[in-house]
Structures are given as C-alpha cells and as structure tokens.
Amino acid sequence: MKALRNPPLYLRNPLRHMEPTARLRLVTWAFTFLASIIGVFLISVVALKYSTPTLGWVLTPLRSYGTTHSYHHVRVTGAKADVDSQTGNPPARLELSEFMNSAQRVDLYLQCHLELLNIDSSDKLSFYQIAAIHGGPYQAWDGVTGNVTFPNGYATHRSVLFPKQIISDCAIKLAKKYTEDVRPAYEAAASTLRIPYWDWAAKSWLPDIVTMPFRTVHTPKGLVNITNPLHHFAFPSGSVDELRAAASIHKEDPVIWTTGTTMRCPQLADHNETVSDQLRTLNTTLRTFQLFTELNGDYNHFASIGYWDVHQRVSIENIHNSVHLAVGTEMTVEAGAEWASSRLCGHMGSGFAAFDPLFYLHHANIDRIFALWQAIFPDSYVAPQISDLGTYLRPANLTDTIDTPLLPFFGKDGETPYTAATARDVRTFGYTYPELLDSSMSETELSVHVLQIVTRLYGGSDP
C-alpha cells in the first residue's frame, strides 16, 4: 500500500476525522514528549533503588493539584558510565538495526530487560509499576497522588508538554560475570548500553526482534534460549481483572484482555505486513519530514494536537498517535469516508500501551525526533497553552508552561520535580543521539547538519 503524497485531511490528521469515541480513546494514551524522555529513561536506568542507599524525602505538598507524602522518592539522575572525557558527550542511543549488530549488546540488553520484567509487581521500580505511570490502571506511583477524579494517567494530553534505571546498572554488573576471554567485549558493550529506538519513519515495519517469542542469548553460563522480553509482557497473576475493569472506564474493547499477556492483533494473518501498510497509509515518513520543514520552528504547533482545531497542521503528538494506531488497531479507510475507523486488537492501541515492550522503542524515537527538532530550532520551546484534558494530577483547562511540574518524576535531590525547563537537554539523563555527537559544531552549524540528515532520511521517496 503506497503512501499518498497529498493525502486527505483525515489521513494527515487522522484523529480530527475519527469517530468521537475512538478519538477520545486515543487521546487518553497520548504521552508527553518530556514525560517520554523521563519515562523511557526510567526503564533503561532503573537501578537507582538498588544502587543508591539514601533517597530524598518529600515532606510538603506540591501545589494544589498533586500531593506527595513523607516518602523515599525515586531520583531520576541518569546513567553516567563512559561519558567522553573530551567532548562531555554521553553514549548515544542507537537505531535498533544498528543496535542489533553487536551480539554482546543484545545479549546484555535482553537478559537485563528480562530481569526488569521479573521484579515483583508490588515494587515501584518493577516493569508493571513503571508501565502504569503512562495510563491504566490509573493509580498513584511513588507516593504522588492527585485530587482529580477523571480517570487518566500522569501523561499530559493535547498539551505542549507532549515530548519525556535496572538495565544500565544490570548490564555493567552482568558483563563482569563473563569468562575472561569474552569479558572485555561485554564490558565495552555494557559501558555504552542505552535503550535503542525504532525509527518507524525510515523503516516502516516491525523489527524482527520484537516478533520473536524466544531468543537464544549467550549468558555467563553459556547459550540459553530465553523468553524474549521485547515480544510481550505477562501480566502478574490476578492483575488482569483489575486492568480490565480500569479499561472499561474508557469503554475500551475487552478483546485485549482475553489472554494473560500483551498482544499485537494476533487474529491478523500477517500483523507485520498490516503494520507496514498502515504506517505507509498514515504517511509517517512524509509527515515526519513536514515536522521539520512546514511549521516555521513553532514549538507549540510541533508538539501538540491541541492546535488542530484552528491550524490543521501536523504535530509530533499526531504522528505518535498514528504509530499506536498502526500497531494496536486494524484500520479501515473507506473511499469518501469522513474518518478512518479503527478496531482495537492490541495493547498499543489502548490506554495500557506502556505494558507492551514495543512502547519504549517507539517512544525512544519520539524522544529522538524531539531532540533533532531542538537542534534545528534551538530557540523555540514550550510556550504557555491551555491543556483541555486533565491528567491524574491536573484538572482540565489549566495552562501548561515551561515550569509545570512533570510529576511524578523528581531530580537529584528527590524533592524537586522535573519541568520542561530542567528536562530540556537529553544529556541530563546520560544519553544523546548519533546525529548530535559532533560537539565541535556551533549551534548554527549543528542546525544545518541535523536538517541535512533529516532531509536524507525522510525527505525522499517512501522507504
């Protein structure tokens, strides 16, 4: 299915011309850019609990829309291993196919990701608890509670704040357990290990690694066939009924709760081909290029679907939603139809998307696109805008600004929540991207350099 160069409006901005109930469902899981930076990072460097003996105390309320209790808060600080002493650059997150070129890197990543999945779900640094920050089952995390009754996650929706630690620490420790003949290679891989990104705009198909139920890895004890932690997440015993009840609040189709694991439309004969077709139909490549070339460096237009009602322009939130649609629903676009209808058939299309391990590879790319956009337009950033949907902490129709707390994420002192201002630079969290590694460039030179890369990747023909 070839992407249209001049598609109808409902394909350029599919939520605008979607059935109202489907649109509401999609908006409920639209994540923020900056929460994505922090949330995806938290999955990749969650070892804070186990490596930091003393965490900060929060004793006072945090504004009127969210409170914390006297509590050890997780401090999101970043992996500091192997920062270049000359440039100051941390290791780069890699595109998934390049990431897979190192057997040692893949071995460490899969083993440590599996270890994260095996942390008891009652632990706030378990995969289950971290995934629940994004949306369902709409509950408090790390002691940060809200007073808003509207069922939603911490993510800000239709907001200019849409762009956001066991794996890194685990990999460093695990590498030391290999035999002497291979240990140096594993230690080198561990020192630069960062979560990879799935560049669905350049490679509009599901990566092979996420479609394999099992994977053979080289462990310190030899070759072992393991359950692939990137394929699915098995929900804790007894949790499915609770999650199904939370999903019913938003009237989500219960079909995704028929098994005890996350799913990606198993009833479709060739889901990978369906995803590829739907990504092309939704023009993710062209629309990604338009983000950098048609918005005149206007951050709020770039960031949020909240501008659609007036400007009808593409946004990164809109494109982000399209990827969730392509993976988690079966879409139908009828000739002459006023909207693209979709049938939920996977968790990526629901308010529980963050339980699918693919979510983090997707959001790492959202984070990357945001970082590239910042490099091209370094002087354009969050401007005040009213967010018409609430979150778990904030009522609807409050104004989001550069200083709005990105709760429940706290900085180094364990007391001060991140804001758009303090989370602006990805290097704060111990990583960067390949396009941004040349620190010898001036700001202007870097802007030109990154735009050339974006044009090469997304400005030509369909992938």
Side-chain angles (χ1 to χ4, degrees):
M1 186 182 300
K2 185 175 177 60
L4 305 174
R5 300 304 292 182
N6 295 295
L9 183 58
Y10 62 78
L11 291 186
R12 289 176 59 101
N13 292 331
L15 289 185
R16 181 176 175 84
H17 289 266
M18 187 172 289
E19 294 166 312
T21 55
R23 181 181 180 188
L24 175 61
R25 185 179 73 235
L26 288 169
V27 168
T28 62
W29 49 248
F31 211 26
T32 69
F33 285 152
L34 297 170
S36 179
I37 293 172
I38 301 170
V40 175
F41 168 76
L42 195 56
I43 283 290
S44 61
V45 200
V46 123
L48 295 172
K49 174 179 179 181
Y50 307 100
S51 61
T52 307
T54 305
L55 298 177
W57 290 89
V58 174
L59 302 175
T60 56
L62 287 172
R63 303 200 178 186
S64 60
Y65 46 79
T67 59
T68 62
H69 305 289
S70 179
Y71 204 77
H72 288 313
H73 279 279
V74 173
R75 297 190 295 177
V76 181
T77 59
K80 301 303 181 186
D82 207 40
V83 173
D84 190 297
S85 59
Q86 293 185 337
T87 66
N89 281 325
R93 285 178 172 176
L94 301 177
E95 190 274 322
L96 187 56
S97 61
E98 182 179 354
F99 182 92
M100 296 294 296
N101 288 337
S102 166
Q104 294 82 9
R105 195 160 48 216
V106 174
D107 288 341
L108 293 171
Y109 182 60
L110 294 182
Q111 290 177 82
C112 290
H113 203 302
L114 191 60
E115 181 172 323
L116 172 63
L117 297 188
N118 289 333
I119 296 176
D120 188 272
S121 61
S122 63
D123 191 318
K124 66 184 177 184
L125 291 179
S126 65
F127 181 86
Y128 180 88
Q129 293 269 348
I130 293 170
I133 295 171
H134 166 253
Y138 316 114
Q139 61 191 21
W141 184 77
D142 197 22
V144 181
T145 59
N147 55 19
V148 178
T149 57
F150 180 73
N152 217 333
Y154 289 97
T156 54
H157 314 127
R158 294 168 58 88
S159 162
V160 295
L161 297 179
F162 181 94
K164 294 180 220 13
Q165 289 167 352
I166 200 155
I167 290 179
S168 178
D169 184 67
C170 166
I172 292 171
K173 294 177 180 178
L174 181 61
K176 298 181 185 300
K177 297 180 180 181
Y178 282 84
T179 55
E180 290 185 2
D181 57 326
V182 297
R183 188 181 304 150
Y186 278 94
E187 289 182 329
S191 68
T192 60
L193 184 64
R194 298 295 185 270
I195 189 171
Y197 61 89
W198 169 35
D199 187 1
W200 29 257
K203 300 181 178 181
S204 57
W205 54 84
L206 283 179
D208 288 344
I209 186 61
V210 306
T211 67
M212 303 174 180
F214 301 95
R215 172 84 179 195
T216 299
V217 298
H218 183 195
T219 76
K221 296 182 179 180
L223 292 176
V224 177
N225 193 36
I226 66 170
T227 298
N228 181 5
L230 300 182
H231 181 264
H232 68 272
F233 172 64
F235 292 105
S237 177
S239 67
V240 172
D241 287 343
E242 175 192 4
L243 296 170
R244 185 188 294 113
S248 69
I249 297 172
H250 287 298
K251 297 181 170 45
E252 290 186 348
D253 192 327
V255 66
I256 62 173
W257 302 110
T258 55
T259 70
T261 70
T262 54
M263 62 174 63
R264 301 177 191 142
C265 304
Q267 71 276 28
L268 299 181
D270 190 341
H271 182 234
N272 195 11
E273 185 62 29
T274 299
V275 170
S276 179
D277 283 350
Q278 293 183 166
L279 285 172
R280 292 169 188 269
T281 298
L282 291 167
N283 283 347
T284 50
T285 305
L286 172 63
R287 288 160 57 218
T288 298
F289 184 59
Q290 289 171 335
L291 285 175
F292 298 95
T293 58
E294 294 190 2
L295 303 182
N296 301 316
D298 186 316
Y299 173 85
N300 284 17
H301 285 145
F302 164 82
S304 173
I305 63 175
Y307 265 67
W308 282 6
D309 293 338
V310 178
H311 298 279
Q312 300 182 3
R313 290 181 177 176
V314 70
S315 72
I316 185 60
E317 186 180 13
N318 166 226
I319 297 173
H320 151 273
N321 292 347
S322 294
V323 177
H324 278 276
L325 273 172
V327 176
T329 74
E330 184 179 15
M331 299 183 64
T332 303
V333 182
E334 307 254 347
E338 293 184 0
W339 54 68
S341 62
S342 62
R343 181 176 62 83
L344 181 66
C345 54
H347 285 82
M348 278 287 281
S350 76
F352 301 80
F355 288 100
D356 187 331
L358 183 62
F359 175 96
Y360 302 93
L361 305 180
H362 165 37
H363 277 263
N365 196 44
I366 291 293
D367 178 41
R368 166 179 164 270
I369 290 172
F370 180 38
L372 300 185
W373 198 90
Q374 286 180 291
I376 295 172
F377 304 104
D379 297 324
S380 181
Y381 202 46
V382 178
Q385 180 184 320
I386 292 175
S387 178
D388 61 356
L389 287 180
T391 72
Y392 181 74
L393 296 176
R394 286 170 60 83
N397 300 316
L398 293 182
T399 298
D400 289 329
T401 74
I402 195 170
D403 296 315
T404 298
L406 296 175
L407 293 168
F409 301 115
F410 293 83
K412 294 180 180 180
D413 63 3
E415 298 182 7
T416 307
Y418 278 101
T419 67
T422 58
R424 185 168 185 167
D425 188 345
V426 295
R427 292 174 297 181
T428 300
F429 303 103
Y431 67 92
T432 186
Y433 290 98
E435 298 91 341
L436 308 176
L437 282 172
D438 192 341
S439 58
S440 67
M441 292 184 180
S442 67
E443 195 173 78
T444 300
E445 290 171 333
L446 182 63
S447 175
V448 172
H449 169 71
V450 173
L451 184 56
Q452 289 173 340
I453 294 175
V454 165
T455 301
R456 185 173 70 248
L457 286 172
Y458 310 126
S461 59
D462 300 329

